Amino acid sequence: MSQLLSHFQDLEPTSFESSWKSPANIAFVKYWGKKGHQLPANPSLSMTLNECTTTTKTKFTPAEKLSVSLKLEGKTEEKFALKIHNYLESLLTELPFLNKLQIEIETSNTFPHGTGIASSASGLSAFALTLTDYLKHLRPEEDESIFLKRASFLARLASGSACRSVYGGFACWGDSEMSETTDKYATALSVHPELAHLHDSVLVVSGKEKNVSSTAGHGRMGEHFFANARYAQAKYHFTKCVAALKAGDMEAVGEILEAEALSLHAMMLTSPQVYTLLKPNTIAAMERIWAFRRETKLPLYFTLDAGPNLHLIYPDQFQHKIATFINHELSPLGEKIIHDKVGEGPSRC
Ligand code: PMV
């Protein structure tokens, strides 16, 4: 049992309500492949966003048995309620009192479904934060300093990348050469002041639901011919990316961003059951970005999630020229653009 959940065994539930707003994040070094129970096969690093957030209110009421109801944008969503129910059941050994709770969740996103931004990181980190708040309510004497660690630990068990969203700025997750990183939860990463205000404009090439989920994609790494080479590359990129972020070297960060995006999608193209989530306009946009960089020498780079949409990353000081290029030259290749930037992390609301 993890130390972070070790002293909640003999508690009796009481009524409580908690509300959190939590952001999505974009990985600079990607988590792709698992080991053990929700542990990453390689370290990852991400930037927390500002505008793309989920707000979640959770009401905990003592009851005879565990039940979960969930409303998304005011509409009952049984599929998500079941997901949370299964997640809470998986925590019963550490937190047996969960079995005696009625849990009512109301949640909403600032980014509508179909914008190609995964809501699992923001949604599940917001829920994990309300659950962590509840644990704090039950054990108020607990040390405040472990609050975010515990929230990150609980978020990881719900969805890997969600564990990085509990911190503002940048976050690392997974064992690495850095002593403070661990597979169990994410830790905050401080970066050079020049890179502390990066933008992320998301070019939504397609907002349609993807046909191979991230869970299935992680699974396909299990028997992937290149899995070990990919994990070694991610470790190498992780160390280089941390160093570049700390040194304020945007060019080095940008090279890793694009290499990571293309490696992630190369894993899909070469997996035992081949597939791709890229669309023709994803490639067309990449080519325009490379041409723009060649011609202007301005630091605009892209990365990709497990989907066709480009996250366009650039420093604040070039915002005007780069946003003009994005709005005029890239927007015809997509359905819409969401201009976001690095954010300060979750907050109670
Ligand atoms: O957290 P999951 O299981 O949705 O996986 C996230 C995978 C990527 O978004 C592609 C990479 C990452 O590190 O966020």
Side-chain angles (χ1 to χ4, degrees):
M1 183 185 302
S2 163
Q3 273 187 333
L4 288 169
L5 298 184
S6 63
H7 23 291
F8 298 99
Q9 289 285 313
D10 52 355
L11 289 174
E12 281 303 316
T14 56
S15 296
F16 185 66
E17 213 174 278
S18 167
S19 224
W20 278 84
K21 180 166 102 172
S22 190
N25 67 73
I26 176 67
F28 281 26
V29 177
K30 315 286 176 185
Y31 148 59
W32 199 241
K34 303 185 196 216
K35 62 184 186 198
H37 180 47
Q38 277 288 100
L39 297 170
N42 63 262
S44 60
L45 188 167
S46 60
M47 179 172 97
T48 299
L49 300 183
N50 192 51
E51 305 295 331
C52 298
T53 60
T54 300
T55 298
T56 294
K57 183 166 92 183
T58 308
K59 205 169 149 195
F60 302 86
T61 315
E64 285 198 351
K65 63 179 178 61
L66 173 64
S67 70
V68 179
S69 63
L70 185 147
K71 281 188 180 164
L72 172 64
E73 324 294 353
K75 227 180 103 223
T76 301
E77 285 282 354
E78 279 169 16
K79 193 176 94 185
F80 293 134
L82 182 64
K83 205 173 166 190
I84 297 284
H85 192 282
N86 292 343
Y87 163 65
L88 294 170
E89 275 193 328
S90 76
L91 297 173
L92 286 179
T93 315
E94 287 96 340
L95 308 174
F97 62 87
L98 290 176
N99 217 5
K100 291 192 264 173
L101 278 173
Q102 178 193 359
I103 295 181
E104 292 160 273
I105 304 166
E106 281 174 35
T107 186
S108 61
N109 295 323
T110 52
F111 49 103
H113 192 68
T115 46
I117 307 220
S119 53
S120 60
S122 53
L124 290 165
S125 58
F127 178 70
L129 283 155
T130 64
L131 182 57
T132 313
D133 235 2
Y134 186 50
L135 297 180
K136 188 171 162 46
H137 160 77
L138 294 174
R139 277 247 184 274
E141 69 280 10
E142 278 274 299
D143 181 356
E144 180 70 24
S145 68
I146 63 168
F147 185 89
L148 289 180
K149 248 184 220 176
R150 180 177 287 140
S152 179
F153 180 91
L154 285 167
R156 182 205 105 219
L157 293 170
S159 167
S161 58
C163 77
R164 298 184 309 239
S165 274
V166 308
Y167 302 100
F170 292 79
C172 298
W173 169 42
D175 288 342
S176 75
E177 286 161 11
M178 279 159 61
S179 58
E180 61 271 38
T181 62
T182 157
D183 282 349
K184 299 211 168 77
Y185 48 82
T187 43
L189 177 77
S190 59
V191 306
H192 193 280
E194 271 184 30
L195 299 186
H197 304 285
L198 291 181
H199 289 258
D200 176 5
S201 297
V202 187
L203 175 67
V204 181
V205 169
S206 167
K208 284 211 195 92
E209 193 138 346
K210 51 198 181 192
N211 46 14
V212 181
S213 70
S214 287
T215 308
H218 285 293
R220 287 185 197 187
M221 286 303 283
E223 61 220 41
H224 201 297
F225 199 77
F226 301 141
N228 288 331
R230 163 60 198 153
Y231 302 147
Q233 182 197 40
K235 272 186 203 147
Y236 173 72
H237 279 163
F238 179 86
T239 307
K240 276 186 78 168
C241 194
V242 169
L245 282 166
K246 286 194 174 291
D249 185 345
M250 186 63 208
E251 197 180 334
V253 172
E255 275 172 21
I256 295 165
L257 275 173
E258 294 189 354
E260 276 290 300
L262 295 172
S263 266
L264 170 71
H265 285 265
M267 286 303 107
M268 300 175 198
L269 285 163
T270 53
S271 79
Q273 295 153 277
V274 297
Y275 69 109
T276 187
L277 302 175
L278 299 173
K279 300 280 179 219
N281 276 353
T282 313
I283 313 270
M286 287 178 198
E287 285 177 339
R288 285 195 196 176
I289 292 163
W290 287 328
F292 173 78
R293 236 180 20 239
R294 261 195 319 273
E295 284 156 20
T296 64
K297 310 276 181 268
L298 291 175
L300 168 65
Y301 297 88
F302 67 81
T303 188
L304 295 156
D305 244 335
N309 307 312
L310 284 117
H311 288 251
L312 308 161
I313 311 289
Y314 50 97
D316 193 47
Q317 60 265 47
F318 302 103
Q319 199 232 342
H320 184 68
K321 279 188 182 155
I322 292 180
T324 305
F325 165 74
I326 293 172
N327 290 332
H328 289 103
E329 304 292 323
L330 295 183
S331 69
L333 297 171
E335 291 169 1
K336 68 171 88 165
I337 294 185
I338 301 170
H339 289 291
D340 208 335
K341 59 181 182 198
V342 66
E344 287 177 1
S347 54
R348 277 196 184 85
C349 51

